[in-house]
Amino acid sequence: MKLSMSQLFALEHFTKYARNHKHQAKATINHILKMSNISDKIFENAVVNLKTHAKIGLHFHPDRPDSTMKSVAEALLEQGIYKSQFETFISNGSVSAYSGGERDIWEKRIFGGAYQLEGTTNNQRPKYGALNLMLHPDGPAPRFGSCYFILSPEVSYRSTYTYLDSHQDPKEKGTYEEFDIILAALLEEAFLRDFAIGERNLTPARLINHLLVNLENPFMDQANKEPNRNLNHYLEAQVHGDISLKEDVEVLVADPSFKDTYVGRTMEQICLKYSIDLYWHMGFVLMVDEVPADFRGPSMTSLAKRIAQNNFIDANIIGSAVMDLKRNPVSWSDRGTYKEILQELKLLWHVLVRYGKTI
């Protein structure tokens, strides 16, 4: 794929940064390999396997409305392109994708002003996902959406990476061309904490074995697997260049609450039209009286009661509430401004992921 000047600049900016920190990263890697009794050859093979087989996951809520009241799923079916927040004005993270907004400012900072170059258009902006390294059935970063696409491994080579969320401007950032700084962070966290990117009981040896053994396996049905519920720890990927559903997407993993709904049928049509394999993950359901008041704030309990159907919430029910808020903001004004309520509904999704029972 031919990339724009801005996209090439962003990739090179990350590559140069990582290259400048390569010596320290190498020292960290070598120390941990020695302490963990992992040979250089085994480590090198694991890295080759990662770069050959690891795929990026793009989380999204398929039922969220855009400015024309078209759902994300409808737009994907019609256009065949996965767009950035600067095009859709929809975000499951920071709702600030406009010139001078928070996302614009942090993109300017982390990409060295690449996307503020003269002539850069919004469709050239990066699209955000996470490297699906640990193969969690509910995806690598479920806080950002109930469904997720799995991209072809080739897309990973035109992506930049940060260890954890880019809006925090972490010092660990790189590309496949210069990836040691990311690998060092991953190994160090596993070495010091027996935990990394949402995976518990993960030592460096177990991580390397996972990279060598599991990444090559064909994608499996996720419906009967236990979710990982990883809300905060992910290896974020910023994809540069277009994401074509036909050319770049291999798999769609959807939330089962959308089965037999208009949104669910639209996702089925997407997969038929663009030759994407469709799977359904385990899903989440949470009874209203089980919504905690001390995870995303005390307002979560009253919000859940307000939107619940048959005394429970799921991804589809939260999405219906978002659509109703968009259509009838006045009827929600007792809870605050449109922006405040949208944020509450986003946080309620986090509650559902963390505490919901599988369907």
Side-chain angles (χ1 to χ4, degrees), residues 4-274:
S4 72
M5 183 183 299
S6 292
Q7 291 159 350
L8 291 169
F9 187 103
L11 284 160
E12 184 59 22
H13 182 73
F14 264 49
T15 299
K16 285 181 178 178
Y17 173 90
R19 189 175 294 133
N20 288 338
H21 293 79
K22 188 182 184 76
H23 179 75
Q24 183 179 352
K26 275 287 192 185
T28 299
I29 291 170
N30 290 337
H31 171 69
I32 293 171
L33 294 182
K34 182 179 179 181
M35 293 296 100
S36 304
N37 194 27
I38 300 168
S39 72
D40 290 344
K41 184 63 176 176
I42 288 175
F43 173 70
E44 289 165 8
N45 289 342
V47 174
V48 169
N49 229 36
L50 183 158
K51 292 181 179 180
T52 304
H53 299 291
K55 302 172 183 180
I56 291 169
L58 299 178
H59 282 268
F60 64 100
H61 289 296
D63 51 353
R64 296 301 190 261
D66 64 15
S67 57
T68 67
M69 297 305 293
K70 186 177 294 183
S71 73
V72 168
E74 288 174 310
L76 288 167
L77 176 63
E78 180 183 305
Q79 299 162 5
I81 296 288
Y82 186 96
K83 295 186 174 182
S84 77
Q85 294 98 322
F86 282 86
E87 298 171 272
T88 65
F89 302 106
I90 300 170
S91 174
N92 303 311
S94 170
V95 189
S96 58
Y98 51 85
S99 180
E102 183 185 359
R103 182 176 291 276
D104 182 49
I105 292 168
W106 96 57
E107 282 193 356
K108 182 177 182 179
R109 183 172 65 247
I110 67 170
F111 296 119
Y115 290 102
Q116 285 70 33
L117 293 174
E118 186 176 351
T120 302
T121 54
N122 281 341
N123 68 333
Q124 295 174 6
R125 293 274 190 162
K127 293 81 180 171
Y128 290 77
L131 198 61
N132 191 33
L133 205 57
M134 302 313 299
L135 309 178
H136 296 148
D138 48 344
R143 72 179 292 142
F144 297 115
S146 61
C147 305
Y148 61 98
F149 286 128
I150 296 292
L151 306 184
S152 69
E154 289 77 18
V155 177
S156 302
Y157 283 86
R158 54 181 171 95
S159 300
T160 49
Y161 300 92
T162 55
Y163 195 74
L164 306 182
D165 201 291
S166 60
H167 91 273
Q168 299 169 341
D169 195 17
K171 66 179 186 296
E172 300 89 357
K173 48 194 175 187
T175 61
Y176 269 10
E177 187 176 343
E178 291 290 350
F179 207 56
D180 285 339
I181 193 169
I182 299 292
L183 294 169
L186 183 57
L187 282 168
E188 187 170 44
E189 190 160 27
F191 182 66
L192 295 176
R193 300 179 59 200
D194 291 348
F195 172 92
I197 50 176
E199 188 73 14
R200 300 166 189 84
N201 301 314
L202 186 69
T203 63
R206 286 175 180 163
L207 172 63
I208 296 302
N209 184 67
H210 169 76
L211 298 179
L212 288 169
V213 174
N214 296 326
L215 291 184
E216 294 182 56
N217 293 336
F219 198 85
M220 303 290 288
D221 185 10
Q222 307 293 296
N224 296 316
K225 295 184 178 180
E226 281 298 309
N228 186 268
R229 306 176 189 271
N230 175 31
L231 288 171
N232 300 314
H233 299 90
Y234 38 87
L235 207 170
E236 187 182 284
Q238 305 90 32
V239 180
H240 304 273
D242 291 344
I243 298 175
S244 161
L245 300 194
K246 187 170 184 61
E247 302 297 329
D248 300 317
V249 177
E250 294 185 348
V251 172
L252 168 58
V253 185
D255 190 290
S257 67
F258 296 113
K259 281 186 177 180
D260 301 319
T261 68
Y262 176 73
V263 170
R265 288 188 289 273
T266 304
M267 288 193 285
E268 290 171 351
Q269 291 176 50
I270 288 170
C271 292
L272 285 172
K273 183 175 181 179
Y274 298 108

Side-chain angles (χ1 to χ4, degrees), residues 298-356:
S299 67
M300 294 295 100
T301 54
S302 63
L303 181 61
K305 287 177 183 176
R306 179 166 183 155
I307 71 169
Q309 297 176 19
N310 298 318
N311 208 37
F312 72 86
I313 60 170
D314 61 17
N316 181 44
I317 290 169
I318 294 175
S320 296
V322 173
M323 185 66 80
D324 186 61
L325 171 65
K326 183 83 170 179
R327 288 194 178 114
N328 308 297
V330 174
S331 68
W332 289 81
S333 59
D334 58 298
R335 293 195 68 90
T337 66
Y338 174 85
K339 186 176 180 180
E340 289 168 343
I341 301 163
L342 191 63
Q343 176 71 6
E344 278 193 321
L345 288 163
K346 182 182 80 174
L347 295 177
L348 189 59
W349 164 247
H350 298 176
V351 173
L352 179 60
V353 172
R354 177 59 60 87
Y355 294 99

